[in-house]
Amino acid sequence: MSLKCSWMGIELDSPVILASLTPTSNLRIKEHVQFYSNAISNGASCIILPSINTSKHGEENLNVEIVDTHIIETGIGKNDSMAFSVLGPTEPNIISIDYGINLLKAIKKEIPNKPIIASLAIIGENEDYSETIKKIQDIGVDGFEINFSCPNVETLNGNHNTRIKEIISIIKDITKKPISIKISPYYNYREILEDLKGQINSITIANAHLGLVPPSLQQNNEYSPFHKTKIWSPTGIYGPFEKPLTYYLLYQYGKLAKKLNIDISCVGGIVTGNDVIQALLLKADVVEVSSGIQWCGTNIFKKMNQSLVEYMNKLGINSIDELKGKALDFIKENADAVKENIKEVKAELDESLCKQCSECLCIDRLCLAISKNNSKIQIDQELCNGCGWCVNTCINTAIRLK
């Protein structure tokens, strides 16, 4: 059994890689490289550099505008955070070309023989792109990821499809390195992907769910995730909150990618080993880890790879290729069969464990099947549909599904 795989023709030790991200602290090369070294030593098989602003030069602190992180809580449990939003305009979270070049040189010196992908932001003129790509090419990278994923990318760049084609053309005139375009979750790329057949090697799905509420629309700004910013711009929410959107987009683009013979890299809400497995089953070729590091540290790569090994051993799967895309053919075809099976599931009460605490009584909630009669909890089997909510809410583990 092996975790080795290929993405865009690049051979990797595992499908779990480090996404393009900018640390939340100020930037300095020495510490930045140490962060990458920690990720690699813990099992990240590839580094994607932070997105480079091709028109911005200099080594000074780039976080000069108001940028803040706002934690989003689930409301389910104490200190149970679901995501965070990075507040403020896009540019401060993107590195300059000078910093990017020096960072790339330092990584190649300190962490040799590991694949490195350069990420380019959609900021700058065509000549800026040409200059940046030539410099990066001279130092050496294994591929490019073009970042169209930020929610405000259309606002910044006008005609989306035209800009994608321009940038792809610029890169291909300079280098033969593989290209992935990092797509926005708010734009339909099916037509442009058909047009780009044979010109790109991968798409990256999908990043940055949009934060919706600008402060200007409210009298009391604490309800806006942007209440600390002077100027609102549509920007991203990151973390486990994004996972359902990521899975849906994998399903949406999986069969098209297979048809066009392009790979898929996915990023957005992937924070556990099980999340990685689900993404691979939905046709991801590699899984990029970003905000999960905010919760778990770089040790997250080791845990994810361990989960993959355990899962594949359990099912007798010998390679990542055997795992990829296995779920796609079953999603629609088996929906009715799953529905029939659910009809046979019922909740069952173990009276020896029941403490009659009444925590499970749902008559004032949504379930009509559980009631109390003569001081005893009862489950009406005709009304029970086997949803399992009572199993989750029972504090005495007295209810199970049969």
Side-chain angles (χ1 to χ4, degrees), residues 340-358:
E340 289 299 319
N341 289 334
I342 289 175
K343 289 180 180 178
E344 302 299 320
V345 178
K346 299 288 182 180
E348 181 178 66
L349 178 69
D350 185 337
E351 293 186 6
S352 67
L353 295 176
C354 180
K355 306 298 183 184
Q356 307 299 325
C357 66
S358 301

Side-chain angles (χ1 to χ4, degrees), residues 358-368 389 393:
S358 301
E359 286 291 325
C360 61
L361 289 181
C362 296
I363 194 67
D364 59 340
R365 302 176 195 175
L366 291 175
C367 179
L368 308 179
W389 186 253
T393 58

Side-chain angles (χ1 to χ4, degrees), residues 29 32-33 36 47 49-50 102-112 114 116:
I29 296 290
H32 208 160
V33 173
Y36 287 127
I47 294 170
L49 297 177
N102 288 331
L103 178 62
L104 176 58
K105 289 178 179 177
I107 293 172
K108 290 187 72 67
K109 180 180 178 181
E110 298 295 326
I111 317 171
K114 283 294 179 181
I116 301 174

Side-chain angles (χ1 to χ4, degrees), residues 147-154 160 182-189 204-210 236-237 242 245-246 248-249 252-253 267:
N147 186 0
F148 283 92
S149 74
C150 294
N152 55 0
V153 73
E154 288 186 74
H160 203 63
K182 194 173 186 181
I183 65 177
S184 167
Y186 302 98
Y187 191 85
N188 188 340
Y189 288 82
T204 302
I205 296 172
N207 197 36
H209 199 287
L210 184 64
I237 293 176
E242 291 189 272
L245 176 68
T246 301
Y248 173 71
L249 288 168
Q252 188 179 35
Y253 285 102
V267 60

Side-chain angles (χ1 to χ4, degrees), residues 25 78 91 107 113 134 167 207 227 253 281 308 321 351 353 373 378 380 383 395:
S25 60
K78 185 178 180 181
E91 283 90 333
I107 293 172
N113 304 319
K134 288 174 183 176
I167 292 174
N207 197 36
H227 71 279
Y253 285 102
L281 289 170
L308 264 176
D321 283 340
E351 293 186 6
L353 295 176
N373 187 20
Q378 294 182 331
D380 188 321
L383 292 178
I395 61 176

Side-chain angles (χ1 to χ4, degrees), residues 4 15 45 83 92 95 148 177 188 216 270 282 317 322 328 344 365 386-387 400:
K4 290 185 179 295
S45 64
I95 62 175
F148 283 92
K177 297 293 184 181
N188 188 340
S216 59
I270 308 298
L282 288 168
I317 295 173
E322 290 182 44
L328 286 180
E344 302 299 320
R365 302 176 195 175
C387 73
R400 58 180 177 268

Side-chain angles (χ1 to χ4, degrees), residues 26-124:
N26 293 332
L27 298 175
R28 195 163 59 193
I29 296 290
K30 180 181 176 181
E31 286 79 7
H32 208 160
V33 173
Q34 184 59 54
F35 168 77
Y36 287 127
S37 180
N38 292 343
I40 292 295
S41 64
N42 275 300
S45 64
C46 176
I47 294 170
I48 304 181
L49 297 177
S51 290
I52 292 173
N53 179 346
T54 63
S55 66
K56 191 166 188 175
H57 291 266
E59 293 285 350
E60 75 281 0
N61 173 21
L62 300 180
N63 294 308
V64 293
E65 300 181 55
I66 293 179
V67 177
D68 198 3
T69 298
H70 178 84
I71 300 298
I72 302 168
E73 297 179 356
T74 63
I76 296 173
K78 185 178 180 181
N79 299 323
D80 188 8
S81 56
M82 189 177 194
F84 62 88
S85 53
V86 176
L87 314 180
T90 301
E91 283 90 333
N93 290 320
I94 294 173
I95 62 175
S96 71
I97 175 58
D98 298 326
Y99 185 91
I101 290 295
N102 288 331
L103 178 62
L104 176 58
K105 289 178 179 177
I107 293 172
K108 290 187 72 67
K109 180 180 178 181
E110 298 295 326
I111 317 171
N113 304 319
K114 283 294 179 181
I116 301 174
I117 305 297
S119 175
L120 299 177
I122 310 305
I123 301 171

